Amino acid sequence: MHDKVSKLIRRRLSGNTRKKNDPTRAGVMISGWGNYGKTASVCSAGAVFEKQWLELHSHLNPQALPGTRDLHAPVVYVSTPVTATPKSLCTSILGFFRAPTRKSATLPELVRQVADSLYDHGVKALILDDISRLRMHRADDQDVLDLMRALMSLDVTLILTGVNISGIGLLREAKWNKKTRQWEMPPLESTRIHGLEVTQTEHRFELIEIDRFRYTTPKQIAAFVNHLKGIEKHLRLMNATQGMLTGGGMPEYLMRRTGGVIGLLGRLLEDGAQEAMDSGKEMIDESLLDEIVLRRDEPEQPPDEPVIPAAPRTAVKKATQAKRPRNTVFDDPGPAARAGA
């Protein structure tokens, strides 16, 4: 999955940086659920491109002005603001460059400042993370999407990452075709009436979906085991053995614990390595990983029932207290009556 993302980004950046006359640069969308490694894969691919680009140009921006050569930044990473607006997105991009902004600045002024900053710093790739924060039922979010499309005409490759991009309206409600193994975009209702197809976004981006590891076919099993081999090679535990993560039933155990989600797998092994060092065991096995809480701690027995106080009584009748009988020990009843009196 990581290689698939890297290959797509490398191909797109390689093609876009060679274009001269095309006014719009095609972009990339990386979609996937949480902890699937979207941001890590995109940033890793961006770092590789930036290193190659800097080495190609001797770490100098060929279009930089005197005094700004040390501000060369081929790749820019920005997180999409919560409840984004065109102004807040511009401010976030300018914040990457530590560029001062005025609160009274208008949107055209901010857009022009963003365009100047992208050009002056020689930016070739703009990564916008958490793009799934946009909701197309909000007018501001629709304006943000329009702004993103405008940025694609600034000789910059736009790379968007988010959760369920195909289902939030950026590309319309897409459906996965199992036969072609591609996302298909159904026609809009307006197409039947006007005969026009709105392709402003979907034809400018290539969508790739990151999945979790599977453990069904031999090819899927081999991919998961190869990933574990790479992790095992980088573990520095004193009692580590070859096949510690790939031998016996350990692959099946790790798949069962994490469901093939790469983020959960990394967290489990990181905590396991830390526990192995703290305990002096200096190796990872199933008994050690059983003690690691991954998502939530399952209690060994049902938790105690909460103590619910009784509802206060609205009317309480006071019990009538029986009057204490008078003590007659010291009473003088007088002389006894004589018989026949």
Side-chain angles (χ1 to χ4, degrees), residues 57-79:
H57 296 281
S58 301
H59 291 259
L60 296 176
N61 182 4
Q63 62 191 21
L65 299 175
T68 63
R69 295 183 184 277
D70 58 337
L71 301 179
H72 190 22
V75 179
V76 171
Y77 172 88
V78 176
S79 182

Side-chain angles (χ1 to χ4, degrees), residues 39-58:
T39 302
S41 298
V42 170
C43 291
S44 177
V48 172
F49 167 77
E50 183 175 71
K51 180 180 179 182
Q52 294 174 347
W53 184 263
L54 292 175
E55 291 177 351
L56 179 63
H57 296 281
S58 301

Side-chain angles (χ1 to χ4, degrees), residues 73-140:
V75 179
V76 171
Y77 172 88
V78 176
S79 182
T80 304
V82 180
T83 61
T85 63
K87 281 190 173 183
S88 65
L89 179 60
C90 290
T91 303
S92 298
I93 296 174
L94 294 173
F96 179 88
F97 304 108
R98 301 294 190 269
T101 57
R102 295 183 295 105
K103 293 183 179 180
S104 60
T106 63
L107 180 58
E109 291 174 344
L110 290 174
V111 172
R112 184 166 57 252
Q113 188 177 359
V114 168
D116 292 342
S117 296
L118 294 176
Y119 179 82
D120 293 341
H121 292 82
V123 177
K124 297 301 178 183
L126 175 59
I127 301 173
L128 294 179
D129 201 2
D130 295 325
I131 197 65
S132 50
R133 290 174 176 173
L134 298 182
R135 294 293 183 266
M136 291 301 100
H137 66 276
R138 298 178 65 248
D140 286 338

Side-chain angles (χ1 to χ4, degrees), residues 53 64 78 104 126 134 153 158-159 205 277 298 306 337:
W53 184 263
V78 176
S104 60
L126 175 59
L134 298 182
S153 62
L158 213 58
I159 303 175
F205 289 90
M277 291 184 291
E298 297 290 350

Side-chain angles (χ1 to χ4, degrees), residues 248-324:
M250 182 60 79
E252 289 83 359
Y253 173 84
L254 294 174
M255 175 62 67
R256 185 172 63 255
R257 286 290 307 273
T258 64
V261 179
I262 189 171
L264 297 179
L265 176 64
R267 192 192 314 165
L268 177 63
L269 294 179
E270 287 173 6
D271 293 350
Q274 185 65 47
E275 180 64 24
M277 291 184 291
D278 293 342
S279 63
K281 193 172 186 177
E282 291 291 339
M283 69 171 297
I284 294 177
D285 55 17
E286 293 185 19
S287 61
L288 183 139
L289 295 179
D290 284 339
E291 303 298 325
I292 304 299
V293 177
L294 188 56
R295 280 178 268 198
R296 63 176 183 176
D297 188 8
E298 297 290 350
E300 297 180 359
Q301 60 183 4
D304 295 334
E305 294 293 333
V307 178
I308 303 176
R313 298 179 181 180
T314 56
V316 180
K317 295 182 178 180
K318 295 183 179 181
T320 56
Q321 298 179 355
K323 291 184 178 181
R324 190 175 180 180

Side-chain angles (χ1 to χ4, degrees), residues 169-188:
L170 290 178
L171 294 174
R172 291 187 279 142
E173 189 67 26
K175 294 183 179 180
W176 178 256
N177 190 323
K178 295 182 179 179
K179 295 182 179 179
T180 61
R181 298 191 62 80
Q182 291 181 347
W183 289 100
E184 293 183 350
M185 314 300 174
L188 294 173

Side-chain angles (χ1 to χ4, degrees), residues 152-164:
M152 300 176 72
S153 62
L154 300 177
D155 194 19
V156 174
T157 300
L158 213 58
I159 303 175
L160 311 181
T161 69
V163 176
N164 190 25

